[in-house]
Every structure is written in C-alpha cells, then in structure tokens.
Amino acid sequence: MLNFNENQTLKESRILSESQYLLFTIGRVTFAVDMEQVAEIALVGDIKHAPVCFHRFHDLVGLQENSGHCPGAMPEAMTSPAVMPMVIPMVMIVRRKTPPTAIIIEEPSDTLSIPLESMRPMPPLIAHYTKAIWAAAFIYDEPVYLVDLYKFGIFTDGHP
Amino acid sequence: MPEKGNDTTLETSKSDLLLKEIKSRQERTRIVDVDEEQVKMVFFTVGGTLFAFYGSDVKEILPVEKIYYVPGCPAVILGVINVRGDVESVIGLHGLLGLPEKAQTKNSRIALAQKNGIRSGILLDSVEDVDDIPVRSIAPPISTLDKNTKEFVAGETTYKNRNVTILDVGKLFSRISI
C-alpha cells in the first residue's frame, strides 16, 4: 500500500504526463486550455449545462487591449490581431466553478497532449501582466499560450 | 679631443641612453594603459539617437526574427521570441523614451539583457559598436535631459565625438514591471 507521499508523487506524475489541452485560435493567436478545466464544448445553442455567465475569451485575455502600435510602422506580428466576427461561436463550459460560466471561443481546432519539456514559463516582464497565460510552448515553430481558466478572476470561489 | 674609440663609446652610450629613455616612456604608457579602468559598452541607436548599455548587462545580441504577439501586455512589450527553445520577452524603447517609432531594417537587433534577475530582449534600431571605454569618461547624467529619458539614465559618455546617453537596463525593466 502506498503512503501519502508516494500517492502524492504518483498523482503529480499522472497530472504531468496525462494532461490533454484544448487548442483554439483567435485572431491568429493560438491558445491551449487544460481539458480538466472544461466540462463541455458546444455550439452556443446546444449547451446542456445552463451557465449563468458568458464571457468572450478574447476579452478575458486582453486581445484587443494592446492596440498602441502603429500598424504601418511595426511588423504585423507585434500588433494586436484583429478579432474577426465568429462564424461558428462555440462555448467552453468551465468545470467546477461558481458561478457556472461559459467562455465563448472560435471553433476549437484540436486536442493535444503537450509534453512538459516543451512548456516554458512566460518571461517575468510578461507574466506580470498575463496572470492566466502561465506558459508558452512552441509547436511547429509557432507559440501556443497555455491558459489557466481559473486564473481569469471571474469566479467567486477560489482555485480548486 | 677624444680618441675615435672613445667617440664610438660615447655615441653607443648616447644611443643606449636614448633607447633606455624610449623604453622607459613606453613602459610608463603601458602602465597607464593597464591602470586605466575600462568598462565594456554596447553602443546602439533608437529613434535616430545614440545610446549605450553597460556590456555586463547585455548577454547576447540577436538578429531580429519573428516577434510573436502576446495578448494582455502594454504596448511597450512587443511580444516573445524563441531563443534556442527558451521563450524571451521583447520590449521596445521608442514608447518608453518618447522617440519616434521606426520600421525594422536589416540593421535592427535584439539585445538580450539581464539585470536584477529579469531577462528580456530589447529591440534596437541598430548596434553601432561594442567597445571598452575608460570609466573616467563616464559622467553623471546631465540635468537638461528629456524627462522621458531622464528616468532611465545611468550616465553620459562620448563615442566618436558624439554624446551618448547610457541607459540603465534595471531601471527600464523596473518601469515595465510597475
């Protein structure tokens, strides 16, 4: 029988090795959310669990706030990408949070297991501003930002 | 009148004397050179103005490749770059120093700087030189400096007869972290 420490180590190693991430792209920026934080992904009209709150993902991560650059002077990659009207609005229902919350995204592109060794913490100057974006992983030479939905500051209960 | 042999002896002695003096002067110069405390500086331009960082704060100078946008950051943070598998932030100085933004050119560089435990890339319009300068050539910041720049200045020096403002990497990073 495993003692507490061995159980804890086993639990941690399972968390580190088995996490699946939901990938989706908004305005050319790709994000990944731990599937354990997502109860359901559905079209807006097909939600089974009725959420109390709706949030747009790009508002939560501040996709439109960084528009201070002059698009003509700086490379496109440095400016805030325009968020196009969503043709297929989908929602993620956040698991185990109060109030029950749906976050609107564009159509998810994939689920992926991102190895721990590919993840890099956000640099300190950036981590200061992006609490929910906790790491980045370069996949096919493009960054994927890992987002902790529970750190968006929209929930009334604490982090589980 | 001295004998010929004695003349030769005198001339030899004179040349030895001169040689000794020359060597002595060279030695003195060398001693001065050794004693002169030097500091490495990275000279660069931003918005058409010449600036410098202390070389000890700059870990690497990188060519500009793709800078990836990160949502939620202030405009001074341009994004992230992939440096041999590590993710580094990149900041722009134009906004902080109140200088006109300039399109990237083939001369643009990213200085990977580190101070007080914070590391970040800093986008520069060009790197002019990396050189050792005498410490005594560094003067305190002049009082007439532009107020946008003043906050970040570590001192003043000259480079090729041009005045150069030395920027403090730590002060730049602190300002962004506030």
Side-chain angles (χ1 to χ4, degrees):
Chain A
M1 188 168 166
L2 297 173
N3 64 30
F4 176 77
N5 284 341
E6 286 168 332
N7 256 331
Q8 196 67 12
T9 309
L10 198 68
K11 194 177 164 188
E12 283 172 9
S13 69
R14 189 176 57 80
I15 288 169
L16 296 177
S17 62
E18 290 180 7
S19 293
Q20 286 282 318
Y21 291 86
L22 172 72
L23 257 62
F24 54 95
T25 301
I26 299 178
R28 297 193 311 276
V29 183
T30 305
F31 301 94
V33 169
D34 189 341
M35 286 295 285
E36 286 192 6
Q37 295 187 339
V38 180
E40 184 186 344
I41 307 159
L43 287 168
V44 173
D46 298 338
I47 306 168
K48 289 179 200 150
H49 306 80
V52 172
C53 297
F54 280 86
H55 293 274
R56 296 188 307 174
F57 184 85
H58 61 264
D59 289 337
L60 294 174
V61 291
L63 249 176
Q64 291 184 322
E65 288 171 11
N66 190 349
S67 55
H69 300 304
C70 170
M74 303 299 285
E76 202 179 18
M78 291 185 201
T79 61
S80 177
V83 179
M84 302 301 287
M86 286 177 283
V87 180
I88 314 168
M90 296 198 73
V91 291
M92 296 184 291
I93 309 296
V94 183
R95 191 191 297 270
R96 295 198 308 267
K97 292 307 286 183
T98 308
T101 299
I103 297 176
I104 303 167
I105 58 170
E106 289 176 34
E107 190 174 15
S109 57
D110 207 353
T111 58
L112 190 70
S113 173
I114 302 175
L116 190 68
E117 52 271 24
S118 300
M119 299 176 190
R120 295 289 180 276
M122 295 306 282
L125 290 182
I126 289 181
H128 184 72
Y129 294 97
T130 59
K131 304 287 184 210
I133 299 175
W134 60 275
F138 272 83
I139 296 172
Y140 302 118
D141 291 332
E142 292 288 324
V144 172
Y145 299 122
L146 283 82
V147 178
D148 185 341
L149 298 179
Y150 296 162
K151 289 186 177 171
F152 272 139
I154 53 173
F155 304 107
T156 53
D157 49 353
H159 205 294
Chain B
M1 191 172 173
E3 290 177 13
K4 196 177 178 180
N6 285 346
D7 270 353
T8 310
T9 309
L10 274 175
E11 281 172 19
T12 306
S13 298
K14 189 181 172 185
S15 67
D16 281 346
L17 202 66
L18 290 170
L19 195 60
K20 192 178 169 188
E21 179 59 21
I22 291 165
K23 283 183 177 173
S24 168
R25 287 185 184 189
Q26 281 179 337
E27 192 62 30
R28 277 205 296 274
T29 313
R30 193 155 58 233
I31 288 166
V32 169
D33 285 348
V34 167
D35 285 348
E36 180 77 272
E37 199 183 344
Q38 303 274 313
V39 62
K40 193 172 288 300
M41 305 298 290
V42 177
F43 297 96
F44 62 91
T45 63
V46 171
T49 307
L50 188 60
F51 293 100
F53 287 138
Y54 284 107
S56 56
D57 295 340
V58 178
K59 303 300 161 201
E60 207 171 337
I61 295 169
L62 305 164
V64 181
E65 290 179 7
K66 193 166 180 184
I67 300 172
Y68 298 94
Y69 169 79
V70 181
C73 295
V76 69
I77 297 176
L78 303 176
V80 292
I81 51 171
N82 183 355
V83 182
R84 296 181 294 276
D86 281 329
V87 176
E88 305 288 358
S89 53
V90 179
I91 64 167
L93 294 181
H94 301 86
L96 279 177
L97 303 177
L99 296 168
E101 287 201 7
K102 204 177 154 190
Q104 277 180 44
T105 67
K106 62 180 173 54
N107 294 324
S108 301
R109 294 288 183 273
I110 292 172
L112 192 59
Q114 186 165 345
K115 193 76 181 273
N116 305 331
I118 297 176
R119 188 165 63 176
S120 179
I122 303 172
L123 182 64
L124 312 173
D125 291 345
S126 70
V127 172
E128 298 294 305
D129 203 358
V130 179
D131 202 2
D132 292 325
I133 63 163
V135 170
R136 64 173 169 78
S137 71
I138 298 172
I142 53 172
S143 57
T144 54
L145 269 174
D146 177 79
K147 68 174 171 58
N148 290 318
T149 312
K150 208 173 200 170
E151 182 185 347
F152 311 111
V153 173
E156 299 282 327
T157 189
T158 54
Y159 172 73
K160 292 184 178 172
N161 297 322
R162 292 168 70 187
N163 287 327
V164 182
T165 303
I166 303 166
L167 297 177
D168 186 321
V169 169
K171 288 178 182 173
L172 291 167
F173 289 170
S174 296
R175 181 71 172 76
I176 296 168
S177 303
I178 290 171

